[in-house]
Amino acid sequence: MIRLLKNMDLITPFRHQRAFEALVPRAGLVGYWDFVRDAKDWNGHNYDATLSGSAAVAGGALQLGSGNYASIAHNSAFNGLSSGAAISVWINPTSGYDYDRILVKSNANNTGWMLALDSSSNHAQWLMGNGSSWGVNLVSSTSLTDGGGWQHILINIAGTGSNQTRMYINSVDEDQGTYSSNYADSSQPIRVGRWDFNTSYYYGDIGPIVFYGRALSTDEITQIYNAQKGYFE
């Protein structure tokens, strides 16, 4: 695994918090999990992740694989995306994945949302359910590839209008979709690296996850990417 934050093991929690505040916009921030020393929510809302199986945190990454994942307890703050939301995550998948689940807030009844890697196209997909299908608000990347090293994904939902949901790969806007009023919220926890329905997993490393309860501007999206990318070199 690539070591991300070379000097973070020496940083005290107080200095760690100050560094975090300098990296990402604070307005509308719901949760921030950087996986430097633990799976704590550094935003202070106590949405801490719990690890299962042999999932491990090391040097700014969550190490996952078969049977290994993390969970963030259900909270209404992770629903209601139609009023605006943004989800940022760094991924470093191993080669040969088979529709790996990166972030999932759903169960078997097609409610909630999901960010996954599609084995048929080797690209990322964002899906939202309406209670009967995943055909709601589907957007896909065009450049993210299997085994391509560390890559940044950001889903930005600005509202329910046409093309108001966008997927950014390494700060580049790659696809747009229209948020549907038929979307159904889920009361399930957020799984990092697993979908409970068919027990499918993500293989590889996941870096910082940032969740906002509002849409971000293009400048803010670029800010997050530029502020964090240096830690992955």
Side-chain angles (χ1 to χ4, degrees):
M1 184 200 78
I2 301 174
R3 185 164 181 77
L4 306 187
L5 306 183
K6 303 177 183 62
N7 299 316
M8 286 304 285
D9 289 341
L10 304 177
I11 294 180
T12 65
F14 178 79
R15 291 178 60 197
H16 186 175
Q17 182 73 1
R18 300 288 78 76
F20 143 66
E21 290 176 352
L23 288 179
V24 298
R26 295 302 307 275
L29 186 61
V30 175
Y32 184 99
W33 303 264
D34 65 11
F35 307 122
V36 173
R37 301 177 67 177
D38 51 37
K40 179 183 176 67
D41 169 24
W42 279 92
N43 190 40
H45 288 162
N46 297 319
Y47 301 142
D48 299 345
T50 58
L51 306 183
S52 297
S54 299
V57 168
L62 181 61
Q63 301 171 329
L64 303 174
S66 179
N68 310 322
Y69 62 98
S71 302
I72 302 167
H74 163 72
N75 190 284
S76 60
F78 305 125
N79 284 332
L81 306 187
S82 63
S83 59
I87 301 172
S88 166
V89 60
W90 285 86
I91 66 168
N92 183 17
T94 58
S95 60
Y97 57 68
D98 183 17
Y99 212 78
D100 290 4
R101 272 65 178 187
I102 303 169
L103 298 170
V104 181
K105 193 177 194 306
S106 178
N107 54 18
N109 62 0
N110 298 312
T111 60
W113 50 262
M114 178 190 305
L115 178 62
L117 297 174
D118 184 356
S119 60
S120 63
S121 64
N122 286 338
H123 294 149
Q125 284 192 337
W126 169 258
L127 306 94
M128 301 177 74
N130 61 11
S132 60
S133 74
W134 284 107
V136 178
N137 197 234
L138 172 67
V139 292
S140 301
S141 69
T142 58
S143 67
L144 186 147
T145 57
D146 179 8
W150 283 102
Q151 297 162 91
H152 181 244
I153 304 173
L154 191 142
I155 302 298
N156 201 47
I157 302 174
T160 59
S162 177
N163 292 333
Q164 292 298 294
T165 298
R166 295 174 178 267
M167 177 181 286
Y168 293 79
I169 303 297
N170 299 327
S171 80
V172 176
D173 184 355
E174 293 203 347
D175 195 20
Q176 306 82 41
T178 300
Y179 189 104
S180 172
S181 60
N182 293 326
Y183 165 70
D185 282 332
S186 171
S187 60
Q188 297 298 304
I190 296 175
R191 301 291 193 205
V192 184
R194 170 187 163 108
W195 189 22
D196 292 351
F197 172 51
N198 61 0
T199 320
S200 55
Y201 295 95
Y202 167 91
Y203 294 82
D205 300 332
I206 288 181
I209 299 171
V210 190
F211 194 105
Y212 286 90
R214 66 174 179 90
L216 300 176
S217 69
T218 54
D219 286 346
E220 288 174 321
I221 292 168
T222 302
Q223 174 188 344
I224 291 173
Y225 172 69
N226 286 337
Q228 295 181 334
K229 70 177 181 179
Y231 295 126
F232 295 80
E233 297 174 348

